[in-house]
Amino acid sequence: GNTEKSSGLFTPAERLELINLVIADMPVENADAILFDGLTSDAAHEIGAKFIVRGARCASDFDYEYNLSLIMKRFDSEFETVILPTTPSLMEISSTYVRDLLKYGCDLGDAVPASCRDRMQEIYKTK
């Protein structure tokens, strides 16, 4: 993630920790999460990445990610963005929804992956 993003419930280091918990629980190889400053295209180039995976819950998310992918192509014509649509049962889940669940002490249920649920609640309680 981009460390210049200062808003949000979790610090960049906390977000990286949570993402790494999710990655460790996935049946994939060669998936990494990194923190960086500046342009995503520069960070991708620095580590030799040729793909980025982004999620889209709805048409407006897709449009945003698609436009970003076109910009990325301007920086590196061989760089590919893969946009994955969400599972329909998870479409309504947003960072605001998760933040409200945490704020009011509600069960996170399937709003976040099970692999990071406990740690997310633990971090939130220390804030």
Side-chain angles (χ1 to χ4, degrees), residues 41-124:
S41 57
D42 289 343
H45 182 74
E46 187 174 314
I47 64 170
K50 287 294 179 186
F51 297 91
I52 186 170
V53 178
R54 306 287 294 190
R57 291 177 294 158
C58 57
S60 61
D61 284 358
F62 179 84
D63 288 345
Y64 175 81
E65 297 299 343
Y66 179 73
N67 287 330
L68 233 96
S69 75
L70 296 177
I71 292 168
M72 295 282 284
K73 282 274 193 201
R74 294 177 70 98
F75 289 101
D76 182 345
S77 63
E78 294 181 16
F79 192 80
E80 294 294 339
T81 300
V82 178
I83 304 171
L84 297 175
T86 190
T87 301
S89 63
L90 302 177
M91 282 183 68
E92 76 283 355
I93 296 173
S94 66
S95 59
T96 301
Y97 174 66
V98 172
R99 189 173 25 254
D100 285 348
L101 291 175
L102 287 166
K103 179 180 177 182
Y104 296 108
C106 299
D107 181 7
L108 294 176
D110 67 352
V112 299
S115 53
C116 73
R117 192 176 300 134
D118 291 343
R119 181 65 181 133
M120 183 179 283
Q121 289 172 316
E122 184 180 303
I123 293 169
Y124 179 78

Side-chain angles (χ1 to χ4, degrees), residues 13-30:
E14 290 167 342
R15 288 195 305 262
L16 181 62
E17 177 187 352
L18 295 168
I19 291 166
N20 279 322
L21 288 171
V22 174
I23 290 172
D25 198 42
M26 294 172 63
V28 296
E29 294 180 25
N30 297 328

